[in-house]
């Protein structure tokens, strides 16, 4: 067996990370064979039909982007100022220019930036300097590891590009809110929503359906998208923006935002060669979460009828399915078999959706758990039996098949006692 080489210097580490990211931020031909070719052809045909609308212009005509009602341009000086204020003072990209420099700009410079952004919007160009990311690799665990796959790529971007991305993102969110097209089941990256709202909603609905009714069977399926932000299929985003009726000029600049994105890895002071990202959205850009949500927004509707009350909940790349089967008699083996079929059908529906849109579930984070104590037939997907688990973890919270949150409460109690013991020992000294 060949001995593995160890990357010791910053340059050696950078080359390892760059090689990994070049593979990660692309969908290879081998990977593409796992996905639906028919959907790919459909998307390609739709984008070809919209080629003219997606092609950038070379003549700036601001009149074409003025609001019909009030003759206003897409962005004004106040929009620029508010966008700057809303962004955090984080590490800058290659330009090295931080937020404080922009926070104190005089009005005439703000006006010039505003004019530049309106011109970019008019022709559908997202400047290439804004699309080049400096990537630093952050260990996923608390301690560094020798495995390069255990690092998360964080994109450091041009601050002025972040300001522009924030303005575009505001327009995109406004479209989905005004048209009520973002599903209520999505709790990630949305105002007044989060992990707490999802977990509370999930518990309430399960408790309401289960109650004391012994004629109800409930199964929860948790799944997590593998390499979620890094593997997003660019063309699927543009296709779904078109299908959602997003303004053509907004769709065009978002298409340009995704086109020819480049990045390089920095390890301490060493910077690597730039490479092209043909898939994925940059982790660290304000637009990325919204674009990611769009891809999974049209998941298949869970079955709902007199005998099934299924529903799904989303938090960014976490997708949870709740399959609820109701029966008119006490639970028999036939009822359990029917519930098993219901669970398998719901899983296969979501699997098919993911196959069509080049999404891949992380098999290590795929779990099936029955709510309540009963012997259930084994779930079989594509001739592969999938064992049940007695407890699982959802958004950092431990759940058990009975007494939903009891394991989390127990763990919190153990941690609290340990901290109390430390405090007591410290007080004695």
């Amino acid at each position: 067996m060949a001995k593995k080489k160890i990357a010791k210097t910053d340059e050696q580490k950078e080359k390892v990370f760059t090689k990994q990211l070049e593979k990660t931020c692309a969908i290879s031909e081998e990977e593409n064979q796992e996905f639906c070719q028919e959907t790919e052809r459909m998307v390609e045909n739709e984008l070809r039909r919209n080629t003219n609308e997606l092609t950038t212009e070379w003549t700036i005509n601001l009149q074409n982007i003025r609001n019909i009602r009030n003759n206003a341009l897409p962005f004004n000086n106040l929009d620029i100022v508010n966008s700057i204020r809303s962004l955090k003072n984080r590490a800058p990209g290659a330009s090295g220019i931080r937020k404080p420099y922009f926070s104190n700009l005089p009005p005439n410079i703000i006006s010039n930036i505003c004019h530049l952004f309106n011109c970019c919007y008019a022709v559908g160009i997202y400047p290439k300097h804004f699309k080049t990311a400096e990537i630093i690799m952050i260990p996923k665990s608390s301690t560094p590891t020798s495995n390069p796959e255990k690092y998360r790529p964080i994109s450091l971007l041009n601050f002025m590009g972040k300001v522009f991305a924030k303005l575009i993102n505001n327009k995109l969110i406004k479209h989905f809110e005004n048209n009520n097209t973002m599903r209520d089941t999505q709790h990630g990256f949305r105002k007044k929503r989060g992990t707490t709202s999802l977990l509370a909603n999930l518990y309430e609905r399960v408790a309401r359906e289960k109650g004391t009714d012994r004629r109800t069977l409930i199964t929860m399926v948790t799944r997590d998208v593998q390499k979620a932000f890094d593997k997003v299929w660019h063309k699927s985003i543009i296709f779904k923006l078109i299908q959602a009726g997003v303004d053509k000029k907004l769709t065009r600049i978002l298409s340009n935002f995704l086109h020819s994105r480049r990045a390089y890895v920095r390890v301490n002071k060493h910077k690597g060669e730039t490479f092209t990202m043909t898939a994925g959205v940059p982790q660290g850009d304000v637009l990325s979460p919204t674009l990611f949500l769009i891809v999974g927004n049209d998941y298949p509707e869970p079955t709902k009828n007199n005998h099934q009350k299924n529903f799904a909940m989303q938090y960014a790349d976490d997708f949870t399915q709740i399959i609820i089967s109701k029966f008119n008699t006490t639970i028999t083996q036939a009822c359990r078999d029917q519930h098993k079929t219901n669970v398998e059908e719901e899983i296969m529906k979501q699997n098919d959706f993911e196959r069509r849109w080049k999404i891949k579930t992380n098999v290590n984070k795929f779990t099936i758990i029955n709510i309540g104590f009963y012997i259930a037939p084994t779930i079989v997907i594509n001739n592969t039996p999938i064992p049940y688990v007695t407890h699982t973890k959802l958004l950092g919270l431990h759940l058990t098949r009975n007494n939903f949150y009891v394991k989390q409460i127990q763990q919190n109690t153990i941690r609290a006692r340990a901290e109390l013991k430390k405090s007591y020992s410290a007080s004695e000294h």
Side-chain angles (χ1 to χ4, degrees), residues 267-384:
V267 178
N268 295 322
K269 292 184 179 181
H270 177 76
K271 297 179 180 179
E273 296 292 325
T274 58
F275 61 93
T276 302
M277 303 166 70
T278 57
V281 288
Q283 295 192 48
D285 194 292
V286 68
L287 261 168
S288 297
T290 309
L291 295 177
F292 179 80
L293 296 189
I294 290 168
V295 175
N297 188 52
D298 59 337
Y299 67 85
E301 189 68 32
T303 303
K304 290 186 180 70
N305 52 42
N306 292 335
H307 303 290
Q308 290 190 66
K309 305 293 180 182
N310 308 332
F311 66 93
M313 307 289 283
Q314 296 170 285
Y315 186 87
D317 58 337
D318 287 293
F319 190 84
T320 304
Q321 296 172 280
I322 305 294
I323 298 90
I324 303 172
S325 301
K326 289 185 170 291
F327 301 96
N328 296 324
T329 61
T330 54
I331 301 300
T332 62
Q333 186 58 44
C335 296
R336 296 189 186 97
D337 290 337
Q338 180 58 55
H339 181 66
K340 164 186 164 358
T341 301
N342 295 345
V343 173
E344 290 172 345
E345 287 177 352
E346 291 299 307
I347 291 173
M348 287 303 298
K349 272 200 302 188
Q350 185 62 22
N351 285 356
D352 183 60
F353 172 81
E354 292 185 351
R355 193 175 71 86
R356 291 180 61 210
W357 299 107
K358 303 190 180 184
I359 301 168
K360 200 169 183 180
T361 288
N362 186 340
V363 292
N364 295 323
K365 294 185 179 180
F366 182 90
T367 65
I368 305 176
I369 182 170
N370 286 322
I371 308 301
F373 289 106
Y374 64 92
I375 300 173
T378 303
I379 300 297
V380 179
I381 303 296
N382 296 328
N383 298 320
T384 303

Side-chain angles (χ1 to χ4, degrees), residues 4 7 21 44-45 55 63 83 99 104-105 173 192 219 228 247 318 360 382 387 398 406:
K4 290 184 178 180
L21 287 174
E44 295 278 4
N45 290 335
T55 303
Q63 294 303 317
S83 181
K99 177 180 176 177
N104 299 296
L105 289 175
I173 290 173
K192 299 180 181 180
T219 297
D247 178 78
D318 287 293
K360 200 169 183 180
N382 296 328
H398 292 274
V406 69

Side-chain angles (χ1 to χ4, degrees), residues 87 164 373 391:
L87 294 169
F164 194 24
F373 289 106
H391 61 87

Side-chain angles (χ1 to χ4, degrees), residues 69-83:
R69 295 179 181 176
N70 56 20
N71 202 38
L73 289 168
F75 314 118
N76 57 46
N77 289 7
L78 184 59
D79 293 330
I80 307 298
V81 171
N82 289 337
S83 181

